[in-house]
Amino acid sequence: MNQLRKEGMPLMEAIHEAGRRRLKAILMTSMTSIVCMLPLLLSNDLGSNLEKPLAIATIGGMLIGTPVSLFLIPLVYWCIYRNDEKKISSKNITSIHP
């Protein structure tokens, strides 16, 4: 988002474009971690009781972390930088109309 903003892209466009570019990578990483931990969670072999908490923690973290990465982080970014966008647009208006 910061790189797109440095290139002159407006705030909302930068957020949407960054989300579009990173969506596939975030989903693939999360899904592979979840799918790889399912055999640990579902197995009943000797010693599997030691591995189940790891699988539960990893799957839970990915299930919570994915929506946070896709929705909450861009929202927080917008909340932080929306005032800067207003300042920039008001400077442009005052420079055009003295």
Side-chain angles (χ1 to χ4, degrees):
M1 287 183 246
N2 287 331
Q3 290 175 347
L4 294 172
R5 299 275 317 279
K6 286 178 184 177
E7 293 172 3
M9 191 175 283
L11 178 64
M12 288 304 292
E13 280 185 44
I15 291 171
H16 288 140
E17 181 63 22
R20 188 189 64 77
R21 289 182 184 181
R22 299 301 304 160
L23 176 67
K24 194 187 312 182
I26 291 170
L27 289 177
M28 285 191 318
T29 303
S30 298
M31 292 305 294
T32 54
S33 297
I34 291 169
V35 170
C36 289
M37 287 292 165
L38 283 176
L40 291 176
L41 183 64
L42 300 175
S43 68
N44 288 323
D45 295 338
L46 185 63
S48 65
N49 289 335
L50 294 174
E51 297 172 347
K52 284 186 182 182
L54 171 69
I56 291 170
T58 304
I59 291 171
M62 286 296 169
L63 288 175
I64 292 171
T66 301
V68 167
S69 296
L70 293 175
F71 300 111
L72 189 65
I73 300 298
L75 178 64
V76 170
Y77 186 88
W78 175 79
C79 287
I80 291 171
Y81 290 107
R82 67 181 170 179
N83 293 331
D84 292 345
E85 187 82 6
K86 290 177 186 176
K87 290 177 188 176
I88 291 170
S89 64
S90 67
K91 284 182 184 178
N92 289 340
I93 291 172
T94 57
S95 65
I96 295 171
H97 302 290

